[in-house]
Amino acid sequence: MKLKSLIISFSVASTVLLLVGGCGKDFLDTPVQNAISSDILASSQSGVEASLISTYKMLNGFTNTVGNTWGSAPSNYIFNSASDDVHKGSEPSDNPDGYYEIALYQWSAGFLAFTHKFQAVYEGVRRANNTIQLANLYAERGGDANEVARIIAEAKFLRAWYHFEAYKMWKNVPYYDETDVDFTKPNNEDIIPKLIADLESAISGLPDNRSQIGRVDKTVAQALLGKIKLYAGDFTGAKTAFDVVVDSQKYKLVDCYQDNFTIATENNSETVFAFQASVNDGDGNGTNSNFLERLAAPHTGSHSSCCGFNNPTQDLANSYRVDANGLPVDDWNATRVTVTQAITVDPRIDWTMGRTGVPYLDWGLHSDGWIRGAGWAGMYSPKKNMKLVTDPEGPGWTTGQLHAKNVQLIRYADVLLMLAECEVEVGSLERARELVNLVRERAANCAQGPVDGPLTVPIDHASITWATYDVQPWPDPWTDKDLSRERVRRERRLELATEGHRIFDLRRWGILEETVENYRAYESTVINNVGGQDVRIADLDAAEDVQPRHYVFPLPSTEVALSNGNLKQNDGF
Amino acid sequence: MKDLYLRCALASLLWTMCVAAALAQGASVAGTVTDESGVTMPGVNVLVKGTGTGTATDANGRYQINVPDDAAVLVFTFVGYATTEVAVNGRSVVDVQLVPDVQTLTELVVTGYQVQRKADISGAVAVVDTEELQTLVTSSFAQKLHGRAPGVTVSTSGSPGDATNVRIRGISSFGNNDPLYIIDGIPIQDKGNLNLNPNDIETLQVLKDPSTASIYGSRASNGVIVITTKQGKPGKTKLTFNGSYSLANSVKGWDDILITDADEYLDMTEQFFGNGNQALPNYAVNGLPKYIYVNPTFTDGTNTVANTVDESTYDRYSNPIMLTSPGTNWWDEITRTAKIEDYYINLSGGSENAIFSVGAGTLIQEGVLKFNGFKRYNIRANSQYKIGSRLRIGQTLNFARRSIVNSPAQSEQGVLSQVYKIAPIIPVYDIGTSVDEDGYRDSFGGSKTANTGNAANPYAMLFRGRRNVNITNNLMGSAYAEFDLITGLTFKTDFKFELNSFNGKNFSYRTPENQENQGAQNFSENWGNSSLWTWSNTLTYNKRIADSHNISVLAGYEALRGEFRNINGSLNNYFTTSPDIWYINSAFGAADTRQVSSNGGENKLLSMFGKVDYSFMDKYYFSATVRRDGSSRFSPENRFAVFPAFAVSWRISGESFMASQSLFSDLKLRASWGKTGNENIRNYNYADRWGGTVGSAFYAIDGSNGSATTGYHLTNVGTETLGLETKWEEATTVNVGLDISMLNDRLDIVLDVYERKTEDLLYNAALPGTFGYLAPNAPFRNTASMTNKGFDLGITYRGSFASDWQYSVGLNVSRYKNTIDRVDGITDFFYPNPTQGRIDNRLPTEININQVGYSISSFRGYRVDGIYRTEGELGELDQPGAQVGGLRFKDLNNDGAINDADLDIIGSPHPDFTYGLNIGLSYKNFDFSAFIFGSQGNEIFNYVKLFTHFRQFFSNVSRDYYLKNGTGNEPRLNILDTSSRQASEYYVEDGSYLRLGQVQLGYNVPLPSSWSNVVSKLKVYVQGQNLFTITDYSGLDPVLSNANIGDGRNLNDIWTGFDIGQYPSNKIVTFGISAEF
């Protein structure tokens, strides 16, 4: 009887227990919060379009990781410090992610700068591929076929763009499309044909004219196609593509060089492709601004009190010296360019670098005090990525640091000069001269204005007391192919200085060793008088010799390690 | 029946002998009290239970007391001895022998939904003497556990209110290694544990092996700490007061390490630049100038230093001027002797049918850093009621409000790091005399001059942060009812909850004195709340058959739901610093900088569990546990897992063949096996999540400068997309233990040997970077397996010298060996997820590698092969950036170059063993205790050397290094040496230490018997904490906290042994009093 009551009680109690606790399996269902699914995105054009927008957004290299990923800055200025255009600047130990060692050719595969660049470009690839997947899904559900085609075409352009960024850095990189599920592909294949295929496909799907300045259309894709073919050494193919861009008549050099670097005028007839920055747009960190470019601003003492990186070299300053005919001199380092009217220089020098005694846009006179350390930075501040006083400003850690200045990715002048290179190689030297002269003639249109304004003045304006400016077109026919090539390359340096092209140009031209060695030999003898003390730029003494392996950067060691042996490290690292 | 009552009175170490009252005349009782070895004991408190009548034994251990009737019960209490209750039963002489406190046969242990006699348990359980911990001054009780129980290690910093990592038997998971805290049945996984007032704790048990822990199944993998809070006792209402006042300093200061003299700093700077043939900074060219920073507009060139300057041009923002300091001791400037006040009052009592306990306390702790501190106010009410003979109900409720002011970030940007970054030639203040609304000087000196680094003024940082407060309100409680269905069968339903609301606000000021100065005044604020409820329903059945078979059965069902929601906002460019407008109101700042976001989520658990305990003749024990858990964090197919456990034990001393010996009073052999689980991963791990913020996905596609078009991207990739399934992490543990009591219970030994194998370890190891930047933000996957082997040994000895001198010595020693057995996926190693770091050749995350065959978070870097002495030696090896006088790394693969192939495992943060030593001594009314703990054989990666030796950002350096640099094996100060600073053995140091954790002298004030109706006990004490440390470690504090490193405060075990200059431990002197009324 006792046992019976026990069993009954137990049964009753168990039932009660299960009832009170018996919420069942459904209890564990928790709907995902604060996020949406790919299913929802693929059900409308605006959802797919939004994925495309985020693919464009990666142009600024912002990766959501801890700290600041300077290495993924869109202008590549960190890597460009290995060229003869700029010093790394700041202080030697202010060395974000291997930046100082990159400038000194003490390269290690472990530098975070490489990892950050790698992750940023492949995030761009990922977003492009996600967009294509969503667009295909949207098409299956009856989405507008034309719009789907256009979105996929834009995504393919961007996929080619990001892969090409990786190619410029490392050359030997893997290619991923929307069908890939294995992310440890080997890097043993030339990806150029795939990029060309993507762009050709994009060109067929893109509109003739973009609906918004930030987007790409057929001619933008042709410009990139030409650039990729140029890097691959296909001058004929590149010329064909660039000709399409020029013949479209859509682009024209703006009158004043500086208009490309002033926020109010930066989107203009010369804009082929640019990262469209914005500030105070709802992001409290200013991430969509010149976020990763901001180290390249003058130091304490200047209005910006910033970081003092990316200082143009004396070698670059000297290269703006012109002869009596307003043409570049061959032995530019024979005379040191200083702030004086006794030396005639190309007016682009004072749009490119801040020189003491010269007005720094509308921020007053540049001063030596803006330089963080002359012993390793020289005496010049970067200038192209500085806003004007009145431009809106975002929340940087110092004043004047964050703003909405675009990063020029492909400017029409760049296209003209790339085309000029092709013309030289295919033998049309006069056509090359014509193109170079377009650029030079424009350069003669305006110069930095005086400290009390206006911002721009004619190059012979009476208020200019710090220099004598002159820049003239090449007057005589070009007949020598080698000489013509030299002149085109020189023009490219002068026109595009500090815009992130130089290191990659030196590499593709095959003149990295001699150029950098010559530059170092000169630059390390330069003595600046700072506060009564003679300071030599001596840290170049510690630089490693330039060797063939330096034609590519080392792949990030983390990625090599995580690839299951499939990513082969570049030779020599 | 008695057992059931016990279960009801969960928390009590004592129980009431329910003796039928018989009416009788008052009488006098006398007797002698002796200790376990028969020595008479003076000063023992004797109390008539349920009355206010009490006395104490005299010098000969004798007492006399009047009792109201023959049925009275006498209660004998003495520190270090178990409270003993004896019924008078009409006797006139009652002699009593007290037994030491740790009484293995009667001690009760709460092991998950049950109370068991410790003697009956077959698993590994450590009971921590809460009285020993009570007086330690810390903001969290968890910090008090360091070295107190075998196998328990604690990592925390000296920062008031800081998180605490408690680790039971080392590290067994890549993700969360926090033990599960069960506070009055409420499951808590919280690194802070700041809501509970340590004074409220009655018992604390550590369940280390699965036979005891697996009843908690999910989340029990890391061990369980079971805490019960104070309950009332039937009888006289008792008032307890504890109060203490403490003064704290750091165990070591940066001024013990760094250069603090301007001339030495100058000389060091000259060496640093000179050895690299670089021009000296202006301030070092002609000796120190009078002024080191003037005229920010530099219109006259490079005027960054001067001996004369027109001070009348001074302007705090546009033209700050500062006088060169002859040597600022920055550590001295930012620290203080901190006051800590801790007060607690408790009222408890009740009748046979209702008991209560109400406690309230405050802790006000200043930080050793100025303007930094912690406050907690809390109140707790517990009660239990018997209704009729079958029903018992009860509740617990605790409210805590806590605030942390100006908690310093323990990173390069934090105030502690500024101390070693800033130069001693910088003054604390500039020449300005302005004061703020509170009367503090507020115009500061700083590193504005070129070549003085990028440090912020650490004093200014603390000063400006003094109103940045994080406040949490926490309400935690439970209500339960227990009903006896039939004899031995009891149903219990128990609802438990925790509610949190928190608010933090942060104002950032302009920093005109800084090198890269902030020009705007910004404000951010966050609000949030979270809730957690658990509802448990259990059935228990107890039966004793024929006086030799004991059977206990438990079955239960439990549901848990947690959720959170928070909102964050910020606004920039405030026009004033007044705290009265610290609100996100567009009128106060730049409207277009306003940013608001909110977030939320929930998680659930559903569990069924059962347990059977059987014992025969109190000699043979067997128990079996099974629990089935479902977690919402896994996809529906992988939600459920089953966790079984078994344990057996054999009391050898209970066998007849042992009956004739007297050496062992208890000898028990235990063995257990079981599985536990871990599901502590992020919510919705399995699902792809699309979203994106303005910053991460929006883009100004239309070329507008002030607005961005909406974009979406994949913010979290789910396991499903990757074709993976993620399931519960499971740990299987085998534990063999031995309990010995011998020499008349004077010597107790507890030894446990274990092996814990964790499989399907959950970690969100990085995907290849070709996946994009989401790669480091990968979903949690079952990544690897790992083994921990070790032992925990506890030895206690109690004895006496003479009649008046009692002493006890307790030693615990633990050792574990951790090995990663397998890493799934594409490589045999993985790195932790990133945090910011500066060592050039390695992500800091790659310094702590997790590789098959090695321990978790082993250090990786180059091996050091001496110093390059000559130019010729530099040519022998292709080591990028190497300089004469710099470190030469070992070319492990002999390819003539230093690169990734030469990286090696260069150290391990895991100790050979850890230990704790408790010494107690009492003489008459005095008692003395000392507690020493230590760690042996662990290594530390001293990341701070990047600054104090390699001058990252022109930081200050270690004075010892400055004096030795360029000699022996110390690399030379050299601005151009970018090579030596790379991750290598040079950073790895022996981190062994021994620390005097606590030393206390107490005095039990003898009270005249006439006072006994008012004050029954009064003790005063003086105590020191962390008074000295023996170590060879060159950094600030070898007792490193990793609790604040890493992403999300969850992944910090992967940062074990990584010194980034954490807030050092405090050295504390305390004066305390405790009284019972």
Side-chain angles (χ1 to χ4, degrees), chain A residues 59 63 96 126 186 207 240 244 257 288 297 311 332 379 422 454 463 480 499 530:
Chain A
L59 289 172
T63 61
R126 157 137 301 276
T240 309
V244 173
Y257 181 78
N288 294 323
N311 305 90
W332 61 88
M379 291 309 292
C422 299
S463 65
D480 183 297
E499 292 179 50
V530 185

Side-chain angles (χ1 to χ4, degrees), chain A residues 481-543:
Chain A
K481 187 168 178 175
D482 289 343
L483 199 56
S484 302
R485 186 185 293 122
E486 283 301 307
R487 288 168 176 172
V488 173
R489 288 178 178 178
R490 183 69 181 286
E491 195 61 38
R492 188 168 174 81
R493 184 185 192 194
L494 300 177
E495 173 71 16
L496 298 168
T498 74
E499 292 179 50
H501 300 283
R502 182 72 174 165
I503 182 68
F504 304 112
D505 287 341
L506 293 178
R507 282 174 169 179
R508 67 188 173 85
W509 294 333
I511 57 168
L512 183 69
E513 295 102 316
E514 67 230 56
T515 310
V516 173
E517 295 294 352
N518 287 342
Y519 145 71
R520 284 184 195 164
Y522 169 75
E523 192 79 8
S524 62
T525 64
V526 172
I527 291 173
N528 292 299
N529 189 281
V530 185
Q533 188 196 359
D534 281 341
V535 178
R536 185 174 73 92
I537 302 175
D539 66 346
L540 290 169
D541 300 352

